[in-house]
Structure formats: structure tokens, C-alpha cells
Amino acid sequence: MFSSIAPLARLNPFYAPHLQLVQDGVRKRPEPAEAPTTRRSLAAAAAAEEYSCEYGSLKFYALCGFGGVLSCGLTHTAVVPLDLVKCRMQVDPQKYKSIFNGFSVTVKEDGVRGLAKGWAPTFIGYSMQGLCKFGFYEVFKILYGNMLGEENAYLWRTSLYLAASASAEFFADIALAPMEAAKVRIQTQPGYANTLRQALPKMFGEEGIWAFYKGVAPLWMRQIPYTMMKFACFERTVEALYKYVVPKPRSECSKAEQLVVTFIAGYIAGVFCAIVSHPADSVVSVLNKEKGSSASQVLVRLGFRGVWKGLFARIIMIGTLTALQWFIYDSVKVYFRLPRPPPPEMPESLKKKLGLTE
């Protein structure tokens, strides 16, 4: 069984980069290393750094998942009022004309407590999503990196981040879909239900199990591009900040300074995340409100301008959200003394092939 893995790895789209090397007058593609050293080097450094576990161990993945629970569950719950207004602007733009008007109308009709509608499904749903998103990202990043080999993993690192995050988000959205459907019903349909306990049996009685998963495809449309941007942009921004902005190497930065870099890179990534995922977010909000509609029907009805309603509110929300999520996630790693690999550097074997070392 294991003998068939190597040929499959060579066939994957990340295997051979376009970069070619010249050796003895003959152009050659860089060969994959026999085994990436990242995991071994981090394991060796664990004793010196006093890490609590080995990089890539089950404990490492479990604590990364726990970090995802805290980072996504807490942050999404904290911005429920803004998310509620954003959703109402998307499904009823005539009534909720702007962010400030939306807050004013909501408070006038439901009181201040009305701004917290949907907090329970938000906390549960996004905690489950965070568990899968961050936990599986670490799993797939190591898995795909091992398949590529050390040299190709470095050369194709952006593609590696994109593939690992997309794979993780696929499963994360399946975990999120039921709670997201309940949240939107509570927030956008006045009188439908005020709590999660009221919404779940009512939704199941009307449409069966389909009520909880009919929005999973639009969720993939929204969340997979969002997460790919979130992780790839974050990873490359961190790399760029340490290379061009931070005046000293990461190894010389204190933990607090490293977390500041994490927060800045997270906010930059969050702005781009909001833009690429907003049209699908608008479709999800309308789809979960209506019965019997499909994603394509909602998309046609909204039109180009309609899918961009509420973008400004979402940029504020997602930018802050993403920055806080990365900050919390990295803080959890620091607290539990988990291995935190530095920004990737070109392997010595590749430097020799490129003639960058003597």
C-alpha cells in the first residue's frame, strides 16, 4: 500500500514547480528531498526549547484544535451584534439601509438584548468550525509537505498553504452548517424563534435534516475561498513582515513582539478574506431565510450590486475577527508551549543546487 504513495505524490499538481536548475549545462528540475527535515529538526529542538510535545504529534493536533475552538468561538460570538445587522442588511436592504440605521432599527424594535440574537448557535457552530479549521490545517500542511519533499514544499509553499486550508475548511463547514442555518433563521426572521432550543425542532419539523445542510454548498463557496486567503495571505504576510519590516530575526524577538506581528498579519489577511467571500456570504444569508430557494436562484435575483450589500460592515468585522483569531490561536500555542515553526527558509540542498552557497 505504502509503495503506491510515492507515484501518487509525483502526480499531484504541486509536485514539479516551473523553476528549473542548470547543472553542467543541463536544465534539471529540483528533485524532492527524501524526507523533510522540518519535523525532525523541530523534534530535536523540543528539548532545548522545552516544548510540551513533538511537532505533528496527536497532542500537538489536539491543542491546535483547542486553539481553534477558542479563536473562532469567542471572536464570532463577540461580534454577534455586527453580524446580526449585516445579515439583516443583506436580506432586507429596504428596511436596514446602513450599519448605523440597522443598529438603530434593531434596538428600537427588540431592545439592546435583541442585538445578541443568535449568540448560542454562533458560539457552538464556530467553535466546531474552529476545531476543524485550525486542527485539520496543521494536519494537511504536514501531510502535503511530506508528500512534496522539503525542496518542493519550500518552492510551492503558497500552493501548500492553499491546498491545506481548503482541505481543512471542507470538513469545517460540514460541522458549521447546522448552527449557521439556525443562526440566520433566528436573526433574520422576526417571530420565527428567539432561542436555539426553539429553532432546531421547528426547522426539523418543517424541512427535516435538509434544513440544516441545504446551505452547506454556499458555505463552501463562501468559506473555502475565505479560508484559503486567510491562511495563505497570513503565512506569506508573516514571512514578508519578518523579512522586510521587523528589524531583527524572529528568533531574537520576544514572544510579545511575535504576537504583535501575528496580529498585524492577521488583520491584513482579514481584509482580503472579507472581499473574496462576501458575495457567497450574501447568498447564504438569503438562502437560509427562504424556503425552497436554491443558491443559483438567489444569486440571479440579487444581481451584481445586491451581493455586495453590507461589504463595509463585513470588512470591519472580518478584519478585526481574523486578527484576533490569529492572535488567540498563536497565544494558545505560546501558553501550551507548542512548537511554532519560524517562517520557511530555503533548504541548504536547494541553495547548493542554485549555486547560492559555496
Side-chain angles (χ1 to χ4, degrees), residues 107-136:
V107 171
K108 189 175 181 179
E109 291 182 349
D110 303 326
V112 176
R113 291 185 65 182
L115 293 172
K117 271 191 173 183
W119 75 267
T122 297
F123 178 72
I124 297 170
Y126 282 93
S127 292
M128 295 301 296
Q129 188 211 35
L131 173 69
C132 298
K133 184 198 297 273
F134 284 93
F136 284 150

Side-chain angles (χ1 to χ4, degrees), residues 52-53 58-69 329 332-333 336-338:
S52 64
C53 61
L58 287 177
K59 182 178 178 181
F60 173 79
Y61 293 137
L63 289 174
C64 286
F66 177 68
V69 169
Y329 181 64
V332 169
K333 283 187 168 183
F336 286 108
R337 295 180 291 110
L338 299 184

Side-chain angles (χ1 to χ4, degrees), residues 52 90 135 246 262 307 310:
S52 64
Q90 289 171 330
V246 180
T262 295
V307 297

Side-chain angles (χ1 to χ4, degrees), residues 17-36:
H18 295 296
L19 176 65
Q20 292 182 323
L21 308 178
V22 178
Q23 292 183 349
D24 302 326
V26 180
R27 291 187 177 273
K28 290 186 176 182
R29 289 178 176 174
E31 298 175 0
E34 291 183 2

Side-chain angles (χ1 to χ4, degrees), residues 185 189 192 206-207 214 287-293:
R185 292 284 183 97
Q189 290 187 245
Y192 184 83
E206 291 174 350
E207 300 180 72
K214 70 175 183 178
L287 187 66
N288 282 323
K289 179 191 174 185
E290 299 178 352
K291 299 178 186 176
S293 295

Side-chain angles (χ1 to χ4, degrees), residues 30-328:
E31 298 175 0
E34 291 183 2
T37 60
T38 304
R39 184 166 178 169
R40 292 200 303 271
S41 61
L42 281 170
E49 292 286 336
E50 294 186 351
Y51 293 141
S52 64
C53 61
E54 182 183 348
Y55 183 68
S57 65
L58 287 177
K59 182 178 178 181
F60 173 79
Y61 293 137
L63 289 174
C64 286
F66 177 68
V69 169
L70 294 182
S71 66
C72 291
L74 295 178
T75 52
H76 278 277
T77 304
V79 295
V80 160
L82 186 59
D83 183 50
L84 179 142
V85 172
K86 182 265 301 178
C87 286
R88 289 183 172 182
M89 287 172 62
Q90 289 171 330
V91 301
D92 194 353
Q94 300 302 318
K95 182 176 181 180
Y96 304 95
K97 297 179 175 62
S98 66
I99 299 176
F100 300 108
N101 174 259
F103 273 105
S104 176
V105 172
T106 300
V107 171
K108 189 175 181 179
E109 291 182 349
D110 303 326
V112 176
R113 291 185 65 182
L115 293 172
K117 271 191 173 183
W119 75 267
T122 297
F123 178 72
I124 297 170
Y126 282 93
S127 292
M128 295 301 296
Q129 188 211 35
L131 173 69
C132 298
K133 184 198 297 273
F134 284 93
F136 284 150
Y137 174 70
E138 300 289 355
V139 172
F140 286 117
K141 186 168 71 168
I142 292 174
L143 175 65
Y144 296 159
N146 289 342
M147 290 174 65
L148 289 172
E150 186 182 23
E151 292 178 6
N152 284 327
Y154 173 80
L155 292 170
W156 288 97
R157 59 193 182 282
T158 301
S159 298
L160 175 62
Y161 305 146
L162 292 170
S165 57
S167 301
E169 189 60 36
F170 176 84
F171 296 101
D173 289 341
I174 295 174
L176 169 65
M179 293 297 106
E180 179 72 3
K183 175 187 77 80
V184 172
R185 292 284 183 97
I186 292 169
Q187 290 181 338
T188 61
Q189 290 187 245
Y192 184 83
N194 290 319
T195 66
L196 181 62
R197 285 180 295 178
Q198 294 174 353
L200 292 180
K202 194 170 183 179
M203 291 171 65
F204 184 77
E206 291 174 350
E207 300 180 72
I209 197 70
W210 175 243
F212 304 110
Y213 288 100
K214 70 175 183 178
V216 73
L219 264 181
W220 284 329
M221 291 166 51
R222 180 187 80 183
Q223 290 296 131
I224 290 179
Y226 164 87
T227 302
M228 291 170 73
M229 181 66 73
K230 174 178 180 175
F231 282 86
C233 184
F234 172 80
E235 298 268 21
R236 294 310 299 260
T237 302
V238 167
E239 187 178 335
L241 287 175
Y242 280 114
K243 188 174 182 180
Y244 300 110
V245 179
V246 180
K248 55 185 176 180
R250 179 181 182 268
S251 58
E252 297 178 13
C253 295
S254 66
K255 292 292 192 293
E257 290 170 335
Q258 292 176 16
L259 290 174
V260 170
V261 173
T262 295
F263 184 85
I264 294 170
Y267 207 103
I268 293 171
V271 172
F272 289 100
C273 288
I275 295 171
V276 301
S277 62
H278 189 73
D281 182 65
S282 297
V283 173
V284 170
S285 294
V286 176
L287 187 66
N288 282 323
K289 179 191 174 185
E290 299 178 352
K291 299 178 186 176
S293 295
S294 66
S296 58
Q297 290 170 339
V298 171
L299 186 61
V300 170
R301 188 166 69 254
L302 287 175
F304 180 79
R305 293 187 65 182
V307 297
W308 294 105
K309 286 281 185 181
L311 176 61
F312 181 66
R314 195 156 190 267
I315 285 177
I316 296 172
M317 183 181 80
I318 296 300
T320 306
L321 207 65
T322 306
L324 288 173
Q325 284 176 359
W326 278 114
F327 183 83
I328 293 170

